[in-house]
Amino acid sequence: MELHPILFLYSILQWILDKLLSPTPPPPHATLHRPRIAIIGAGLTGVSSASHCVGHGFDVTIFEAGDEKSLGGIWSQVNNTSGLQIHSIMYRFHPSVRWTSGYPDRHQIVSQITQLWKRYGLQDRTKFNTRVTSVYKDKQGRWIINDPSNGRFDGVMAAIGSCGDPKMPHISGQESFKGEIYHSSKLDGKTARGKKVLIVGGGASAVEALEFVVHTDAKSTSVLARSEKWIIPRNAIIDTLLAFNIFGQETIFSWIPESLLRIFFYRDLNDLAPPSTGLFTETPMVNSDIFHQIRSGKAEWLRGDIIGFTETGIRFNHRAKGVPKGGPGREELVEGDMVIMATGFHRPSLSFLPKECFQDPYQPPNWYLQVFPPEHMSICANNCTYVNGIGAVGNYHIGIYTRLLLMFLVDPLARPHEYWMKRWIDMTTRLKSMAPTGAFDFFTYSELMYWFIFCVAINPFRWKWALFVFFGIGDAIPLGVVRGEDRVRNGLGLKKGFVE
């Protein structure tokens, strides 16, 4: 079959990125001697972080609460019809990932995670059915996961993500409903053909549920949302431009992209655009098909509050635009014979980390670079403290965060001191003091890149690590310099840092 020219160029780009930036997998059953790192979670982030570690000679052990079917994290739990809402060029969680389409489905995503896990020999380094309940230090300052039988580690990478078990709230009168009720992640094998479907929720899960019911020929679909969320086009160029806001917050210029979206994207459906909430305050939904379904009459989007179930549907308080949640509206019965609860997922808890990591005001996400608790620079909560943002997902930052941790572990002069980690948090909080959200509750990818550059640039002893941190290139030369620095410190009677 002839390959589309765009896909052909995309495959070449992926091949180049793989050859230039992918660390070399270790030989089978290799013994790795650099600092040991415990990685908690075998999802997309955990597997990607582990591959970066072993590719640079660092030993790892992955602890996963579920069995091998849990490999892939949240992607192992969702529907087979689930897929990316953003373009795959913005979802490159590792340089070696090879996408065959712009918007791959669940099967292809899990397949890429599994291939990465095998390519870097992580099978023998993964402990399944091992739920982490505590992380603490021994007398020598080495990390222990649960108990000493699991070994001792120099660093900890929490990679449990932001989506755990499905969130399935109970709604008044639910037992009386005569139709079917499913969570949006449990739709495999189900059909909405010829049914009147009610979707409870207005976030990303609702978009996915809407795609499911439309493509299975539902008779009608009503989305019952409590509030408006920004919706942006499924267009990698537009999404990238929006992420160029380096301030990571609403500014005096934010009205420009917001107005353009209303004029050229929402058009006649401007009533669905948030009346006062800024674009740069919470994660927007990325979809170009929603408005088409509404305009064609296949779906309707209702704003209001759920009152309760009846035998034939849901009693709904339909509010006008701008009326807050729980405000006055017109009560109506929205009839349906199938309800999909697009109510999202519970956030996994980081409570297994030492309690000093949660002291106010330096609680997650208010950590150094959002992921390093100031009390312990050897802990990195990679992709766990994310709240809201705009930009690529896992494109480069998983690897950069991982390599920052590696740099901190092997180079004593590059390590951040607790005092300066807290001062950086304070500085960023002051810089974003006018933001409508907390300083770390929302960020753009451009702001994230600024954080990384500032982190490396502020300390001259980190300059030698710049290529390694940003691209994974050339760790041998910095390590050689560190050994020289260790010899100098030894000669001066200073404490020797752990190198290998």
Side-chain angles (χ1 to χ4, degrees):
M1 184 172 68
E2 185 179 355
L3 189 65
H4 190 281
I6 299 297
L7 289 178
F8 177 69
L9 292 174
Y10 187 28
S11 65
I12 292 177
L13 173 63
Q14 294 184 96
W15 181 85
I16 293 173
L17 291 174
D18 183 13
K19 295 300 179 184
L20 288 178
L21 304 179
S22 293
T24 302
H29 309 295
T31 300
L32 304 176
H33 297 287
R34 289 182 183 170
R36 295 190 68 206
I37 300 169
I39 295 180
I40 303 170
L44 178 151
T45 301
V47 171
S48 180
S49 299
S51 68
H52 283 293
C53 290
V54 300
H56 294 295
F58 291 78
D59 193 11
V60 303
T61 299
I62 301 176
F63 296 89
E64 168 55 46
D67 56 20
E68 193 165 336
K69 293 180 181 179
S70 301
L71 188 67
I74 186 62
W75 285 110
S76 69
Q77 302 179 39
V78 295
N79 307 304
N80 287 323
T81 54
S82 300
L84 288 185
Q85 294 296 319
I86 63 173
H87 196 280
S88 59
I89 198 170
M90 305 175 75
Y91 204 83
R92 296 189 54 79
F93 55 88
H94 191 272
S96 65
V97 168
R98 300 287 184 92
W99 300 122
T100 58
S101 64
Y103 299 93
D105 59 16
R106 170 195 176 274
H107 174 76
Q108 188 180 164
I109 296 168
V110 173
S111 174
Q112 285 295 312
I113 296 171
T114 304
Q115 289 179 39
L116 185 66
W117 182 67
K118 293 178 178 179
R119 186 181 306 127
Y120 284 86
L122 299 174
Q123 303 97 312
D124 298 332
R125 303 178 188 278
T126 304
K127 292 188 176 184
F128 290 106
N129 300 306
T130 306
R131 181 176 297 278
V132 174
T133 57
S134 65
V135 174
Y136 61 97
K137 282 187 174 182
D138 63 12
K139 293 181 180 179
Q140 288 72 43
R142 303 285 293 277
W143 290 110
I144 293 176
I145 309 299
N146 290 345
D147 61 71
S149 66
N150 286 314
R152 287 168 166 79
F153 301 88
D154 303 285
V156 176
M157 176 76 72
I160 59 174
S162 58
C163 296
D165 296 329
K167 189 186 297 182
M168 192 72 169
H170 181 273
I171 298 176
S172 174
Q174 190 169 316
E175 298 82 2
S176 64
F177 182 60
K178 293 183 177 181
E180 307 161 273
I181 301 177
Y182 304 107
H183 189 269
S184 59
S185 65
K186 306 296 182 182
L187 298 175
D188 281 347
K190 311 297 190 300
T191 181
R193 183 179 298 276
K195 298 176 181 179
K196 293 184 289 185
V197 180
L198 308 182
I199 299 175
V200 176
S205 297
V207 172
E208 185 175 309
L210 178 58
E211 291 181 337
F212 164 81
V213 297
V214 167
H215 292 110
T216 54
D217 295 325
K219 181 178 181 180
S220 65
T221 305
S222 299
V223 180
L224 310 181
R226 287 191 302 172
S227 59
E228 304 90 347
K229 284 180 67 74
W230 278 102
I231 304 172
I232 60 178
R234 247 187 184 182
N235 184 294
I237 296 176
I238 293 176
D239 299 345
T240 300
L241 289 174
L242 292 175
F244 271 143
N245 176 0
I246 196 171
F247 300 102
Q249 62 177 322
E250 286 284 297
T251 70
I252 59 173
F253 301 107
S254 297
W255 66 271
I256 298 176
E258 292 166 4
S259 298
L260 291 175
L261 285 172
R262 286 190 173 98
I263 294 171
F264 296 105
F265 187 54
Y266 281 83
R267 303 198 307 274
D268 56 311
L269 298 176
N270 188 51
D271 180 65
L272 299 182
S276 56
T277 304
L279 176 62
F280 298 99
T281 57
E282 61 179 333
T283 305
M285 293 184 289
V286 185
N287 197 281
S288 297
D289 192 46
I290 296 176
F291 294 153
H292 171 71
Q293 302 302 338
I294 295 173
R295 291 185 177 107
S296 65
K298 294 182 179 179
E300 62 175 348
W301 194 287
L302 305 178
R303 177 197 310 103
D305 309 293
I306 303 289
I307 299 174
F309 275 88
T310 69
E311 291 185 352
T312 59
I314 290 178
R315 290 168 54 221
F316 188 70
N317 179 44
H318 193 179
R319 289 184 274 106
K321 183 174 182 177
V323 177
K325 301 173 185 177
R330 180 172 57 85
E331 183 178 327
E332 60 185 80
L333 174 63
V334 186
E335 294 191 332
D337 39 37
M338 180 179 185
V339 173
I340 299 177
M341 304 292 282
T343 45
F345 302 84
H346 292 284
R347 177 179 283 272
S349 173
L350 288 167
S351 59
F352 52 79
L353 294 178
K355 63 180 181 180
E356 59 267 22
C357 296
F358 302 94
Q359 294 180 2
D360 191 62
Y362 305 107
Q363 301 186 56
N366 298 340
W367 282 350
Y368 184 62
L369 304 181
Q370 203 187 56
V371 302
F372 293 96
E375 294 81 5
H376 297 292
M377 63 81 203
S378 57
I379 293 177
C380 176
N382 205 344
N383 266 7
C384 298
T385 55
Y386 170 86
V387 181
N388 283 296
I390 293 181
V393 180
N395 205 358
Y396 296 113
H397 71 269
I398 290 176
I400 292 176
Y401 274 135
T402 302
R403 292 188 293 269
L404 282 170
L405 176 63
L406 302 183
M407 176 181 71
F408 295 161
L409 292 178
V410 302
D411 190 346
L413 295 178
R415 293 172 188 165
H417 188 276
E418 178 183 343
Y419 175 85
W420 291 113
M421 294 170 82
K422 290 181 177 179
R423 298 296 76 76
W424 180 87
I425 297 169
D426 295 340
M427 177 192 72
T428 304
T429 301
R430 284 194 294 271
L431 288 174
K432 300 183 70 173
S433 60
M434 301 301 292
T437 61
F440 299 94
D441 293 351
F442 179 90
F443 65 91
T444 62
Y445 218 74
S446 295
E447 183 187 9
L448 187 63
M449 292 300 110
Y450 155 72
W451 293 352
F452 292 150
I453 293 171
F454 180 87
C455 172
V456 173
I458 196 67
N459 185 343
F461 292 103
R462 296 176 189 161
W463 296 354
K464 60 183 176 292
W465 291 100
L467 286 178
F468 173 73
V469 167
F470 293 122
F471 306 107
I473 296 174
D475 63 341
I477 293 177
L479 278 172
V481 175
V482 171
R483 295 190 188 99
E485 292 168 346
D486 275 347
R487 287 192 292 270
V488 172
R489 284 195 302 278
N490 255 357
L492 296 175
L494 300 178
K495 185 177 179 181
K496 186 178 186 296
F498 183 83
V499 179
E500 282 192 332

